[in-house]
Coordinates of all heavy atoms in Angstrom, one line a residue:
M1237 N -2.8 -8.4 31.2 CA -3.4 -8.2 29.9 C -3.1 -6.7 29.6 O -3.5 -5.8 30.4 CB -4.9 -8.5 29.9 CG -5.6 -8.0 28.7 SD -7.3 -8.4 28.7 CE -8.0 -7.0 29.4
K1238 N -2.5 -6.4 28.5 CA -2.3 -5.0 28.1 C -3.7 -4.4 27.7 O -4.5 -5.0 27.0 CB -1.4 -4.9 26.9 CG 0.1 -5.2 27.3 CD 1.0 -5.0 26.1 CE 2.4 -5.4 26.4 NZ 3.3 -5.2 25.3
L1239 N -3.9 -3.2 28.2 CA -5.1 -2.5 27.9 C -4.8 -1.5 26.7 O -3.7 -0.9 26.6 CB -5.6 -1.7 29.1 CG -5.8 -2.6 30.4 CD1 -6.0 -1.7 31.6 CD2 -7.0 -3.5 30.2
P1240 N -5.9 -1.2 25.9 CA -5.7 -0.2 24.9 C -5.6 1.2 25.5 O -6.3 1.6 26.4 CB -6.9 -0.3 24.0 CG -7.9 -1.0 24.9 CD -7.2 -1.8 25.9
I1241 N -4.6 2.0 25.0 CA -4.4 3.4 25.5 C -5.2 4.3 24.6 O -5.1 4.2 23.3 CB -2.9 3.8 25.5 CG1 -2.2 2.9 26.5 CG2 -2.8 5.2 25.9 CD1 -0.7 3.1 26.5
V1242 N -6.1 5.1 25.1 CA -6.9 6.0 24.3 C -6.1 7.1 23.7 O -5.1 7.6 24.3 CB -8.2 6.5 25.1 CG1 -9.0 5.3 25.6 CG2 -7.8 7.4 26.2
A1243 N -6.6 7.6 22.6 CA -5.9 8.7 21.9 C -6.3 10.1 22.4 O -7.4 10.2 22.9 CB -6.2 8.6 20.4
Y1244 N -5.5 11.0 22.2 CA -5.8 12.4 22.5 C -7.1 12.8 21.9 O -7.3 12.5 20.7 CB -4.7 13.3 22.0 CG -5.0 14.8 22.2 CD1 -4.8 15.4 23.4 CD2 -5.4 15.6 21.1 CE1 -5.1 16.7 23.6 CE2 -5.7 16.9 21.3 CZ -5.5 17.5 22.6 OH -5.8 18.8 22.7
G1245 N -8.0 13.5 22.6 CA -9.3 13.9 22.1 C -10.4 12.9 22.5 O -11.6 13.3 22.3
D1246 N -10.1 11.8 23.0 CA -11.1 10.8 23.4 C -12.0 11.5 24.6 O -11.4 12.1 25.5 CB -10.5 9.5 23.9 CG -11.5 8.4 24.1 OD1 -12.3 8.5 25.1 OD2 -11.5 7.5 23.3
P1247 N -13.3 11.4 24.5 CA -14.1 12.0 25.5 C -13.8 11.6 27.0 O -14.0 12.4 27.9 CB -15.5 11.6 25.1 CG -15.5 11.2 23.7 CD -14.1 10.7 23.5
V1248 N -13.3 10.4 27.2 CA -13.0 10.0 28.6 C -11.9 10.8 29.2 O -11.9 11.0 30.4 CB -12.7 8.4 28.6 CG1 -11.3 8.2 28.1 CG2 -12.8 7.9 30.1
L1249 N -11.1 11.4 28.4 CA -10.0 12.2 28.9 C -10.5 13.6 29.3 O -9.8 14.3 30.1 CB -8.9 12.4 27.8 CG -8.2 11.1 27.4 CD1 -7.3 11.3 26.2 CD2 -7.5 10.4 28.5
K1250 N -11.7 14.0 28.9 CA -12.2 15.3 29.3 C -13.2 15.2 30.5 O -13.6 16.2 31.0 CB -12.9 15.9 28.1 CG -12.0 16.2 27.0 CD -12.7 16.8 25.8 CE -11.7 17.0 24.6 NZ -12.3 17.6 23.5
K1251 N -13.6 14.0 30.8 CA -14.6 13.8 31.9 C -13.9 14.0 33.3 O -12.7 13.7 33.4 CB -15.1 12.3 31.9 CG -16.2 12.1 30.9 CD -16.6 10.6 31.1 CE -17.9 10.3 30.5 NZ -18.2 8.9 30.7
K1252 N -14.6 14.4 34.3 CA -14.1 14.4 35.6 C -14.2 13.0 36.2 O -15.3 12.4 36.2 CB -15.0 15.4 36.5 CG -14.4 15.5 37.9 CD -15.2 16.5 38.7 CE -14.6 16.5 40.1 NZ -15.2 17.5 41.0
A1253 N -13.1 12.5 36.6 CA -13.0 11.1 37.1 C -13.6 11.0 38.4 O -13.5 11.9 39.2 CB -11.5 10.6 37.1
V1254 N -14.2 9.8 38.7 CA -14.9 9.6 40.0 C -13.9 9.0 41.0 O -13.0 8.2 40.6 CB -16.1 8.8 39.9 CG1 -17.2 9.5 39.1 CG2 -15.8 7.4 39.3
E1255 N -14.1 9.3 42.2 CA -13.2 8.8 43.3 C -13.7 7.3 43.6 O -14.9 7.0 43.5 CB -13.4 9.6 44.6 CG -12.4 9.3 45.6 CD -12.4 10.4 46.7 OE1 -12.6 11.6 46.4 OE2 -12.1 10.0 47.8
I1256 N -12.7 6.4 43.9 CA -13.0 5.0 44.1 C -12.5 4.7 45.5 O -11.7 5.4 46.1 CB -12.5 4.1 43.1 CG1 -10.9 4.2 43.0 CG2 -13.1 4.4 41.7 CD1 -10.3 3.1 42.1
T1257 N -12.9 3.5 46.0 CA -12.3 3.0 47.3 C -11.6 1.7 47.0 O -11.6 1.2 45.8 CB -13.5 2.7 48.3 OG1 -14.3 1.6 47.8 CG2 -14.3 3.9 48.5
S1258 N -11.0 1.1 48.0 CA -10.3 -0.1 47.8 C -11.2 -1.3 47.5 O -10.8 -2.4 47.1 CB -9.5 -0.5 49.1 OG -10.3 -0.5 50.2
E1259 N -12.5 -1.1 47.7 CA -13.5 -2.1 47.4 C -14.0 -2.1 45.9 O -14.9 -2.8 45.5 CB -14.7 -2.0 48.3 CG -14.5 -2.5 49.7 CD -13.8 -1.4 50.6 OE1 -14.1 -0.2 50.4 OE2 -13.0 -1.7 51.4
Y1260 N -13.4 -1.2 45.1 CA -13.8 -1.1 43.7 C -13.7 -2.5 43.0 O -12.7 -3.2 43.2 CB -12.9 -0.1 43.0 CG -13.2 0.2 41.6 CD1 -14.3 1.1 41.2 CD2 -12.5 -0.4 40.6 CE1 -14.6 1.3 39.9 CE2 -12.8 -0.1 39.2 CZ -13.8 0.7 38.9 OH -14.1 1.0 37.6
N1261 N -14.7 -2.8 42.3 CA -14.8 -4.2 41.7 C -13.7 -4.4 40.7 O -13.5 -3.6 39.7 CB -16.2 -4.3 41.0 CG -16.4 -5.7 40.5 OD1 -15.8 -6.7 41.1 ND2 -17.2 -5.9 39.5
G1262 N -12.8 -5.4 40.9 CA -11.7 -5.7 40.0 C -10.5 -4.8 40.1 O -9.7 -4.8 39.2
L1263 N -10.4 -4.1 41.2 CA -9.3 -3.2 41.4 C -7.9 -3.8 41.2 O -7.0 -3.3 40.5 CB -9.4 -2.4 42.7 CG -8.3 -1.4 43.0 CD1 -8.4 -0.3 41.9 CD2 -8.5 -0.8 44.4
K1264 N -7.7 -4.9 41.9 CA -6.3 -5.6 41.8 C -6.0 -6.0 40.4 O -4.9 -5.8 40.0 CB -6.3 -6.8 42.8 CG -6.2 -6.4 44.2 CD -6.0 -7.6 45.1 CE -6.0 -7.2 46.6 NZ -5.7 -8.2 47.5
E1265 N -7.0 -6.5 39.7 CA -6.7 -6.9 38.3 C -6.5 -5.7 37.4 O -5.6 -5.7 36.6 CB -7.9 -7.7 37.8 CG -7.7 -8.2 36.4 CD -8.9 -9.0 35.9 OE1 -9.9 -9.2 36.6 OE2 -8.8 -9.5 34.7
L1266 N -7.2 -4.6 37.7 CA -7.0 -3.4 36.9 C -5.6 -2.8 37.1 O -5.0 -2.4 36.2 CB -8.1 -2.4 37.3 CG -8.0 -1.0 36.6 CD1 -8.0 -1.1 35.1 CD2 -9.1 0.0 37.1
I1267 N -5.2 -2.8 38.4 CA -3.9 -2.3 38.7 C -2.8 -3.1 38.0 O -1.9 -2.6 37.4 CB -3.6 -2.2 40.2 CG1 -4.5 -1.1 40.8 CG2 -2.2 -2.0 40.5 CD1 -4.5 -1.1 42.3
S1268 N -2.9 -4.4 38.1 CA -2.0 -5.3 37.4 C -2.0 -5.1 35.9 O -0.9 -5.0 35.3 CB -2.4 -6.8 37.7 OG -1.6 -7.7 37.0
N1269 N -3.1 -5.0 35.3 CA -3.2 -4.7 33.8 C -2.6 -3.4 33.5 O -2.0 -3.2 32.4 CB -4.7 -4.8 33.4 CG -5.2 -6.2 33.4 OD1 -4.5 -7.2 33.4 ND2 -6.5 -6.4 33.4
M1270 N -2.9 -2.4 34.3 CA -2.3 -1.1 34.1 C -0.8 -1.1 34.1 O -0.1 -0.4 33.3 CB -2.9 0.0 35.0 CG -4.3 0.3 34.7 SD -5.1 1.6 35.8 CE -4.0 3.0 35.5
Y1271 N -0.2 -1.8 35.1 CA 1.2 -1.9 35.2 C 1.8 -2.6 33.9 O 2.8 -2.1 33.3 CB 1.7 -2.7 36.4 CG 2.0 -1.8 37.6 CD1 1.2 -1.9 38.7 CD2 3.0 -0.9 37.6 CE1 1.4 -1.1 39.8 CE2 3.3 -0.1 38.7 CZ 2.5 -0.2 39.8 OH 2.7 0.6 40.9
E1272 N 1.1 -3.6 33.5 CA 1.6 -4.3 32.2 C 1.5 -3.4 31.0 O 2.4 -3.4 30.2 CB 0.7 -5.6 32.0 CG 1.2 -6.4 30.9 CD 0.4 -7.7 30.7 OE1 -0.3 -8.1 31.6 OE2 0.5 -8.3 29.6
T1273 N 0.4 -2.6 31.0 CA 0.2 -1.7 29.9 C 1.3 -0.6 29.9 O 1.9 -0.2 28.9 CB -1.2 -1.0 30.0 OG1 -2.1 -2.1 29.9 CG2 -1.4 0.0 28.8
M1274 N 1.5 0.0 31.1 CA 2.5 1.0 31.3 C 3.9 0.6 30.8 O 4.6 1.2 30.1 CB 2.6 1.5 32.7 CG 3.6 2.6 33.0 SD 3.5 3.1 34.7 CE 4.4 1.7 35.5
Y1275 N 4.4 -0.6 31.3 CA 5.7 -1.1 31.0 C 5.8 -1.5 29.5 O 6.8 -1.3 28.9 CB 6.1 -2.3 31.9 CG 6.3 -1.9 33.3 CD1 5.7 -2.5 34.4 CD2 7.1 -0.8 33.6 CE1 5.9 -2.2 35.7 CE2 7.3 -0.4 34.9 CZ 6.7 -1.1 36.0 OH 6.9 -0.7 37.3
G1276 N 4.7 -2.0 29.0 CA 4.6 -2.4 27.6 C 4.8 -1.1 26.6 O 5.2 -1.3 25.5
A1277 N 4.4 0.0 27.2 CA 4.5 1.3 26.4 C 5.8 2.0 26.8 O 6.0 3.2 26.4 CB 3.3 2.1 26.6
Y1278 N 6.7 1.4 27.6 CA 7.9 2.0 28.1 C 7.6 3.3 28.8 O 8.4 4.3 28.7 CB 8.9 2.3 26.9 CG 9.2 1.0 26.2 CD1 8.7 0.7 24.9 CD2 10.1 0.1 26.7 CE1 8.9 -0.5 24.3 CE2 10.4 -1.1 26.1 CZ 9.8 -1.4 24.9 OH 10.1 -2.6 24.2
G1279 N 6.5 3.3 29.6 CA 6.2 4.5 30.3 C 6.6 4.4 31.8 O 7.1 3.4 32.3
V1280 N 6.5 5.6 32.5 CA 6.8 5.6 33.9 C 5.6 6.0 34.7 O 5.6 6.0 36.0 CB 8.0 6.6 34.2 CG1 9.3 6.1 33.6 CG2 7.6 8.0 33.8
G1281 N 4.5 6.2 34.1 CA 3.2 6.6 34.7 C 2.1 6.3 33.8 O 2.2 6.4 32.6
L1282 N 0.9 6.1 34.4 CA -0.3 5.8 33.7 C -1.5 6.1 34.5 O -1.6 5.7 35.7 CB -0.3 4.4 33.2 CG -1.5 4.0 32.3 CD1 -1.3 4.7 30.9 CD2 -1.6 2.5 32.1
A1283 N -2.5 6.8 34.0 CA -3.7 7.1 34.7 C -4.8 6.3 34.1 O -4.8 6.0 32.9 CB -4.0 8.6 34.6
A1284 N -5.8 6.0 34.9 CA -6.9 5.2 34.5 C -7.7 5.8 33.3 O -8.0 5.0 32.4 CB -7.9 4.9 35.7
P1285 N -7.9 7.1 33.2 CA -8.6 7.6 32.0 C -7.8 7.3 30.7 O -8.4 7.2 29.7 CB -8.6 9.1 32.3 CG -8.7 9.2 33.8 CD -7.8 8.1 34.3
Q1286 N -6.5 7.1 30.8 CA -5.7 6.9 29.6 C -6.0 5.5 29.1 O -5.7 5.2 27.9 CB -4.2 7.0 29.9 CG -3.8 8.4 30.2 CD -2.3 8.5 30.6 OE1 -2.0 8.0 31.7 NE2 -1.5 9.0 29.7
V1287 N -6.6 4.6 29.9 CA -7.0 3.3 29.4 C -8.5 3.2 29.4 O -9.1 2.1 29.5 CB -6.4 2.1 30.3 CG1 -4.9 2.1 30.0 CG2 -6.7 2.3 31.7
G1288 N -9.2 4.3 29.3 CA -10.7 4.3 29.2 C -11.5 4.2 30.4 O -12.7 4.1 30.3
R1289 N -10.9 4.3 31.6 CA -11.7 4.3 32.8 C -11.7 5.6 33.5 O -10.7 6.2 33.8 CB -11.0 3.3 33.8 CG -10.8 1.9 33.3 CD -12.2 1.1 33.4 NE -12.0 -0.2 32.9 CZ -11.8 -1.3 33.6 NH1 -11.8 -1.1 34.9 NH2 -11.7 -2.4 33.1
S1290 N -12.9 6.2 33.7 CA -13.1 7.5 34.3 C -13.1 7.4 35.8 O -14.1 7.7 36.4 CB -14.3 8.2 33.7 OG -14.4 9.5 34.1
I1291 N -12.0 6.9 36.4 CA -11.8 6.8 37.8 C -10.5 7.5 38.2 O -9.6 7.6 37.4 CB -11.9 5.3 38.3 CG1 -10.8 4.5 37.6 CG2 -13.2 4.7 38.0 CD1 -10.6 3.1 38.2
R1292 N -10.4 7.8 39.5 CA -9.2 8.5 40.0 C -8.2 7.4 40.5 O -8.3 6.9 41.6 CB -9.5 9.4 41.2 CG -10.4 10.6 40.7 CD -10.6 11.5 41.9 NE -11.5 12.6 41.4 CZ -11.8 13.6 42.2 NH1 -11.4 13.7 43.4 NH2 -12.6 14.5 41.7
L1293 N -7.4 7.0 39.6 CA -6.3 6.0 39.8 C -5.2 6.3 38.9 O -5.4 6.5 37.7 CB -6.9 4.6 39.6 CG -5.9 3.4 39.7 CD1 -5.4 3.2 41.1 CD2 -6.6 2.1 39.2
F1294 N -4.0 6.3 39.4 CA -2.8 6.4 38.6 C -1.6 5.6 39.2 O -1.6 5.4 40.4 CB -2.4 7.9 38.4 CG -1.8 8.6 39.6 CD1 -0.5 8.6 39.8 CD2 -2.7 9.1 40.5 CE1 0.0 9.2 41.0 CE2 -2.2 9.8 41.7 CZ -0.8 9.8 41.9
L1295 N -0.7 5.2 38.3 CA 0.5 4.5 38.7 C 1.7 5.3 38.3 O 1.7 6.0 37.3 CB 0.5 3.2 38.0 CG -0.7 2.3 37.9 CD1 -0.5 1.1 37.0 CD2 -1.0 1.8 39.3
V1296 N 2.7 5.2 39.1 CA 4.0 5.9 38.8 C 5.1 4.9 39.3 O 5.1 4.3 40.4 CB 4.2 7.2 39.6 CG1 5.5 7.8 39.3 CG2 3.1 8.2 39.2
D1297 N 6.1 4.7 38.4 CA 7.3 4.0 38.8 C 8.5 4.9 38.7 O 8.9 5.3 37.6 CB 7.5 2.8 37.9 CG 8.7 2.0 38.2 OD1 9.4 2.3 39.2 OD2 9.0 1.0 37.5
T1298 N 9.1 5.3 39.8 CA 10.2 6.3 39.8 C 11.5 5.6 39.7 O 12.6 6.3 39.7 CB 10.1 7.2 41.0 OG1 10.2 6.4 42.2 CG2 8.8 8.0 41.1
T1299 N 11.6 4.3 39.6 CA 12.8 3.6 39.5 C 13.8 4.1 38.5 O 15.0 4.2 38.7 CB 12.6 2.1 39.3 OG1 11.7 1.6 40.3 CG2 13.8 1.3 39.3
P1300 N 13.3 4.4 37.2 CA 14.3 5.0 36.3 C 15.0 6.2 36.7 O 16.0 6.6 36.1 CB 13.4 5.2 35.0 CG 12.2 4.3 35.2 CD 12.0 4.3 36.7
F1301 N 14.4 7.0 37.6 CA 15.0 8.2 38.1 C 15.9 8.1 39.3 O 16.4 9.1 39.8 CB 13.9 9.3 38.3 CG 13.0 9.4 37.1 CD1 11.7 8.9 37.1 CD2 13.4 10.0 35.9 CE1 10.9 9.0 36.0 CE2 12.6 10.1 34.8 CZ 11.3 9.6 34.9
A1302 N 16.0 6.9 39.8 CA 16.8 6.7 41.1 C 18.3 6.9 40.9 O 18.8 6.7 39.8 CB 16.5 5.4 41.7

């Protein structure tokens, strides 16, 4: 499921994100949704705060630079 990407100036982008563990509720689904969102926006990286989650999580796909 594609997630909405928040716009510049959104308060979640200014918050200090909290650290999470692998036991974070719904982590696998969130990662999957973030990948779908990132590729749908033709991006190579995406951070959780960009999709409205104030947690320390980001994805990077360096394949385009190989």
Side-chain angles (χ1 to χ4, degrees):
M1237 171 177 94
K1238 287 185 185 176
L1239 303 169
I1241 297 175
V1242 300
Y1244 175 77
D1246 191 288
V1248 73
L1249 299 174
K1250 296 179 182 182
K1251 282 181 161 178
K1252 182 176 180 178
V1254 297
E1255 196 167 323
I1256 62 170
T1257 66
S1258 58
E1259 288 82 36
Y1260 183 79
N1261 190 27
L1263 182 60
K1264 287 184 181 188
E1265 183 179 3
L1266 176 59
I1267 290 171
S1268 176
N1269 290 341
M1270 286 179 63
Y1271 268 112
E1272 186 176 344
T1273 302
M1274 179 180 75
Y1275 292 131
Y1278 303 103
V1280 295
L1282 184 68
Q1286 292 175 291
V1287 291
R1289 303 283 180 97
S1290 189
I1291 59 173
R1292 293 183 185 183
L1293 174 66
F1294 69 94
L1295 311 172
V1296 177
D1297 180 2
T1298 60
T1299 305
F1301 305 108

